[in-house]
Amino acid sequence: MLVFDNEIIPEKEERPMRKLCKKQLFRRLLVLFRKTDQSYIDDTVTQAKSQLDGEAKETKKNDLEKFFDSQIETLNDRGVPEQIVEIFQNQKGAVVKKVSEMAIGDGNIPFLPVIPRSFRSPYDLMAMVKNGGKVGYTHLNPTQISDVVDTPSEPYYIYDVNDGSSMRDKSPEPEAAEKTFKQQKRSLLIAAEVMALTTHMNVFPKDYVWAYGSRCGHANTVLYVFLGYDDRPELDWSYVDISNNYWGAASCGSR
């Protein structure tokens, strides 16, 4: 509904206007405006735009809150300890407010909750990744995993997340990818963040995701999450020598 001069205008008076084409709307407004003082028209249009903007912001906020709640539900469903879930839950107001004021890239994910390896091991994090009924795993030794990107040590959120689709069919060396993302004012995702991405978003089987922000034992190796044997999600490492339309380096706008 619309509110004008404290008068409620019901939905049924809005709907016919929505069906008007641009030309019809112009004709109706022209007839109306010819009979109305110019200053009154300006004030009315300003008020209408302000209310519509407020309604759009409220709708966006409600959608973001629902998205936040769905992620909390996923964390609970995947057996995350309640203490960790509570840390995320307590960030709801700040996360929704921040994203409400951000410009999110086309097709990007507004935000994702990340459990750092200081709170849960890669074994636990991969067990949260599923492809249908297949539960993820990794054979990697956690002590050999290192990150080349600075991230918070406690559960946190990443924002404006690209699942790697923007870099699909492009597998440059990690240094080149880092340079590209820096120019775009974006950051490489680390392994824990890619595991969060594949936990909350349905990226399989169309995407395999590079975690260019993490290494395993060697400086020129990169971690990634993919579908391994029998379509089971797996975290592994590789030299960057694969280039096809399934692979892409994931990134975020901020943390």
Side-chain angles (χ1 to χ4, degrees):
M1 65 180 63
L2 296 174
V3 179
F4 180 67
D5 286 348
N6 295 322
E7 176 186 358
I8 297 177
I9 303 175
E11 285 283 330
K12 65 182 180 180
E13 293 188 30
E14 283 187 87
R15 286 175 184 146
M17 296 295 286
R18 291 175 183 169
K19 298 178 181 179
L20 295 178
C21 68
K22 185 176 180 180
K23 190 173 183 179
Q24 291 172 319
L25 179 60
F26 172 77
R27 287 174 177 172
R28 291 197 180 189
L29 290 175
L30 188 60
V31 172
L32 177 63
F33 287 175
R34 279 173 176 165
K35 301 176 182 180
T36 309
D37 179 79
Q38 183 63 46
S39 63
Y40 188 75
I41 292 173
D42 293 341
D43 290 344
T44 303
V45 170
T46 298
Q47 183 173 343
K49 286 182 177 179
S50 177
Q51 176 147 338
L52 289 174
D53 183 58
E55 291 175 355
K57 288 181 178 178
E58 186 64 24
T59 298
K60 180 178 180 181
K61 179 185 176 186
N62 291 337
D63 290 343
L64 291 172
E65 288 179 342
K66 290 178 182 177
F67 187 57
F68 186 99
D69 293 340
S70 71
Q71 293 177 345
I72 294 295
E73 184 178 344
T74 296
L75 294 175
N76 284 318
D77 179 67
R78 303 294 163 88
V80 175
E82 61 180 305
Q83 297 92 332
I84 296 178
V85 175
E86 185 176 353
I87 293 174
F88 287 121
Q89 186 69 63
N90 290 339
Q91 299 181 60
K92 181 175 182 178
V95 169
V96 171
K97 182 177 185 300
K98 179 173 180 175
V99 179
S100 296
E101 299 169 353
M102 290 176 61
I104 304 300
D106 186 30
N108 287 358
I109 304 154
F111 54 85
L112 288 170
V114 180
I115 303 174
R117 290 188 291 115
S118 56
F119 273 65
R120 299 203 87 181
S121 76
Y123 304 128
D124 296 327
L125 295 177
M126 275 307 298
M128 294 169 56
V129 180
K130 294 183 178 181
N131 179 38
K134 307 293 178 60
V135 177
Y137 79 106
T138 182
H139 62 83
L140 301 180
N141 184 336
T143 63
Q144 293 182 314
I145 297 175
S146 61
D147 300 326
V148 297
V149 177
D150 291 331
T151 59
S153 59
E154 296 191 357
Y156 63 98
Y157 279 84
I158 52 177
Y159 301 90
D160 191 18
V161 184
N162 185 275
D163 62 6
S165 56
S166 67
M167 295 288 285
R168 196 179 300 148
D169 200 23
K170 302 171 186 176
S171 297
E173 290 300 316
E175 293 77 10
E178 184 175 7
K179 183 178 180 180
T180 297
F181 284 133
K182 277 187 176 180
Q183 292 173 344
Q184 299 172 352
K185 295 183 178 180
R186 297 184 63 77
S187 175
L188 306 170
L189 293 196
I190 64 171
E193 294 167 345
V194 168
M195 286 185 277
L197 166 65
T198 50
T199 294
H200 292 278
M201 306 304 298
N202 182 25
V203 302
F204 303 123
K206 66 184 180 69
D207 290 323
Y208 293 173
V209 189
W210 290 107
Y212 270 29
S214 295
R215 305 287 185 271
C216 186
H218 304 283
N220 57 347
T221 62
V222 174
L223 271 68
Y224 64 102
V225 176
F226 71 113
L227 293 184
Y229 175 73
D230 199 27
D231 287 339
R232 186 179 181 185
E234 182 178 351
L235 173 71
D236 206 345
W237 67 269
S238 175
Y239 296 101
V240 183
D241 59 358
I242 300 173
S243 180
N244 59 49
N245 59 3
Y246 287 100
W247 297 79
S251 64
C252 68
S254 62
R255 293 177 174 83

